[in-house]
Amino acid sequence: MLHLAATLALVLPAAGPQETDALVLTPEQRELALEFSPLPDPPPDPTNAVYENEDAARFGQALFFDTRLSGPGNVSCATCHDPAQSFSDGRPRAMAVKLGPKHTMSLWNVAYGRWFFWNGRKDSLWSQALTPLEDFREHASSRLQIAHVIADDAKYRDAYATLFGALPALDDTARFPAEGRPVYRQPEHPHSQAWATMTAADQNAVDDVFANVGKSIAAYERNIVSRHAPFDVFVEGLRENDAEKQRALSPSAQRGFALFAGKGKCLVCHDGPNFSDGEFHSNRAPTEENADPGRPFGVRELMRDPFNTRGRHADDGGEVGRQKLEIVGRPVHLPGEFKTPTLRNVARTAPYMREGQIATLEDVVEFYSSLDGALPLHRSSEQILQPLHLTDEEQADLLAFLRSLTDESLPARFLGPPASD
Ligand code: HEC
Ligand code: HEC
């Protein structure tokens, strides 16, 4: 911190007369702002060999918007992660084939995450995508059905073959039934029974196709990036000492940032240029399902997931995954901890929290201010959040800052199925 302050003193001259109306942050606060922008390119994923492959992204984009991947034929990823609704759905809890228990997370900047889902039960973007496809409330499909959809569509079959090699002999329906998957703890489920008729080698071949579907979808999701918000222009203005760019953030929004990074302590969890530390905390927001164990359950699920990153589907031979999963249980996670969501585009993704239980951004700020109804903390939990007792003006400032993180300027070519050649 200290050496940074010294460097900055050289870079940033004391506020000149033309700056005083536009720039209200102290030099220390400006220094802090530099740590929140720019957001770099998404990190690589060595467990996914096609992560940065444009053909895979295009194939994955088609799959993302394709309702044929669902059991009933009318659900795609975009049913819930709708680009027109900031890659969420505007509902408190997700609804496709059946009502789900959780709020749809927006997909902005997912490629920066280490763990996925509110409880982090997935450790790669590609393995995350496999869950909704087989969830009976979401796509309600099966890996065999999905493999057949790809085999039966000439364009998909070609795209797949170019990226991953030939598909297994799926037209042999005696070996590869139309639907099937191992349904956890339900051996009598028709999907489990169909799956059980297959040889282990054929099951593995279908699992490979399934993992490759996830890897292609992840390559598409890597493009869903938001990093040119007014806040970013402002920080660029600080770096370049450009008064015009500094005006991208109103004095109110600047005071809001000072609160966020100062007495609000929001930055303890919403840290860094994606405004999330990617880890798990309790923000004490009450829900109907206060008993949801959150992160400890997520860790258990992750450990037994055959598609986790230390398993045979990881393209780096499991190296990254072995390190990641070795440390995942330490420190011990406490019940009630959930993934810190990004705050980028947060003004566009109401309602809020893991069950969508807080309707508006105003209500979120009011909750952090009063902590009315806050869940009690576990005895050994981190004690970060205290009631802030914000004045009306401070709440307005914090809101102005949160709204300054809005940038939905994703190129139109990513907002629907890929244009056909
Ligand atoms: C029925 C609505 C629905 C459908 C369909 C759906 N999702 Fe989701 N998505 C959700 C919900 C709800 C969550 C949070 C669930 C949880 O944490 O338990 C979520 C979470 C995610 C996450 C985790 C984000 C993060 O920051 O950790 C990603 C990535 C994602 N979905 C991608 C997809 C993809 C890809 C598909 C299609 C294969 C898909 N979703 C289909 C509702 C849906
Ligand atoms: C102790 C860590 C922590 C601190 C400190 C914290 N948050 Fe959060 N925040 C979270 C977690 C975890 C969630 C998701 C909780 C859930 O869904 O149950 C969240 C959710 C949110 C959401 C809803 C996002 C969404 O997509 O649903 C907003 C907005 C938000 N926080 C803003 C703030 C602001 C503003 C502050 C400071 C006043 C703050 N947070 C302080 C951890 C924290």
Side-chain angles (χ1 to χ4, degrees):
M1 276 308 202
L2 274 177
H3 73 275
L4 232 182
T7 322
L8 274 157
L10 297 175
V11 179
L12 300 169
Q18 89 284 12
E19 287 180 325
T20 43
D21 55 336
L23 197 55
V24 303
L25 297 184
T26 66
E28 291 74 23
Q29 290 164 343
R30 293 181 220 168
E31 174 199 321
L32 254 178
L34 300 184
E35 294 178 18
F36 287 87
S37 181
L39 183 64
D41 285 336
D45 179 359
T47 72
N48 180 355
V50 299
Y51 198 41
E52 293 171 45
N53 178 315
E54 281 183 24
D55 294 330
R58 215 178 143 72
F59 178 45
Q61 183 172 350
L63 298 173
F64 187 94
F65 291 95
D66 192 336
T67 54
R68 292 175 302 167
L69 264 47
S70 69
N74 59 1
V75 176
S76 76
C77 307
T79 303
C80 302
H81 302 284
D82 177 3
Q85 300 202 62
S86 218
F87 291 94
S88 186
D89 55 9
R91 299 166 174 275
R93 288 159 54 188
M95 173 72 195
V97 175
K98 288 198 165 73
L99 182 67
K102 288 283 182 286
H103 176 62
T104 303
M105 305 170 94
S106 91
L107 299 186
W108 291 111
N109 302 340
V110 270
Y112 297 80
R114 287 186 293 276
W115 319 107
F116 302 89
F117 284 127
W118 287 108
N119 63 10
R121 63 189 181 278
K122 286 287 180 172
D123 63 350
S124 72
L125 197 49
W126 60 266
S127 66
Q128 186 287 329
L130 308 180
T131 302
L133 293 172
E134 291 191 333
D135 187 312
F136 70 97
R137 293 165 300 225
E138 304 196 351
H139 286 63
S141 184
S142 70
R143 59 195 74 175
L144 265 168
Q145 174 183 338
I146 290 163
H148 281 293
V149 168
I150 294 169
D152 294 346
D153 179 303
K155 274 179 108 175
Y156 281 1
R157 198 167 56 231
D158 289 351
Y160 186 94
T162 310
L163 289 161
F164 305 108
L167 284 161
L170 283 147
D171 45 1
D172 184 346
T173 47
R175 274 172 65 195
F176 297 97
E179 293 176 16
R181 62 184 172 125
V183 187
Y184 185 57
R185 285 194 179 142
Q186 292 185 50
E188 64 303 326
H189 191 288
H191 280 173
S192 301
Q193 291 191 344
W195 187 252
T197 64
M198 295 168 65
T199 66
D202 286 348
Q203 289 176 344
N204 282 344
V206 171
D207 281 351
D208 288 342
V209 175
F210 196 38
N212 289 334
V213 162
K215 287 172 187 172
S216 304
I217 292 176
Y220 160 62
E221 290 174 300
R222 185 178 173 277
N223 292 305
I224 307 174
V225 170
S226 169
R227 53 177 168 176
H228 295 296
F231 176 77
D232 301 288
V233 177
F234 169 78
V235 173
E236 218 170 86
L238 291 180
R239 280 213 166 78
E240 298 168 2
N241 200 25
D242 179 330
E244 195 48 47
K245 286 184 179 171
Q246 289 171 9
R247 265 187 268 279
L249 214 58
S250 68
S252 167
Q254 290 180 49
R255 289 193 300 271
F257 170 76
L259 261 171
F260 174 90
K263 91 170 181 196
K265 291 195 201 148
C266 315
L267 86 176
V268 175
C269 306
H270 297 281
D271 193 20
N274 195 30
F275 296 90
S276 168
D277 61 358
E279 291 295 330
F280 301 84
H281 301 277
S282 168
N283 77 343
R284 307 183 59 188
T287 73
E288 285 172 21
E289 276 294 330
N290 284 342
D292 183 341
R295 186 55 176 151
F297 181 74
V299 170
R300 266 207 314 280
E301 291 282 287
L302 178 56
M303 291 304 185
R304 65 170 189 80
D305 178 10
F307 293 96
N308 70 25
T309 55
R310 71 178 173 197
R312 74 173 182 88
H313 297 283
D315 292 326
D316 66 341
E319 204 178 311
V320 166
R322 277 190 294 276
Q323 290 169 19
K324 234 170 136 168
L325 297 199
E326 191 182 325
I327 55 163
V328 72
R330 294 185 251 133
V332 173
H333 289 283
L334 296 168
E337 291 180 351
F338 294 89
K339 178 172 166 179
T340 311
T342 179
L343 297 181
R344 288 196 176 263
N345 285 328
V346 73
R348 298 294 163 89
T349 60
Y352 299 103
M353 308 301 167
R354 66 183 186 274
E355 284 163 29
Q357 70 268 33
I358 300 189
T360 66
L361 208 49
E362 285 82 354
D363 293 342
V364 172
V365 167
E366 169 59 35
F367 167 73
Y368 278 115
S369 177
S370 67
L371 290 188
D372 274 351
L375 290 183
L377 279 176
H378 193 276
R379 179 156 58 74
S380 35
S381 289
E382 45 190 21
Q383 310 280 334
I384 299 165
L385 289 166
Q386 303 294 333
L388 298 169
H389 304 301
L390 302 176
T391 65
D392 287 353
E393 199 201 343
E394 286 174 321
Q395 295 202 19
D397 290 346
L398 194 49
L399 282 164
F401 164 66
L402 291 170
R403 292 190 183 113
S404 81
L405 300 176
T406 301
D407 160 39
E408 296 183 296
S409 66
L410 194 65
R413 68 178 190 280
F414 294 126
L415 302 179
S420 51
D421 312 315

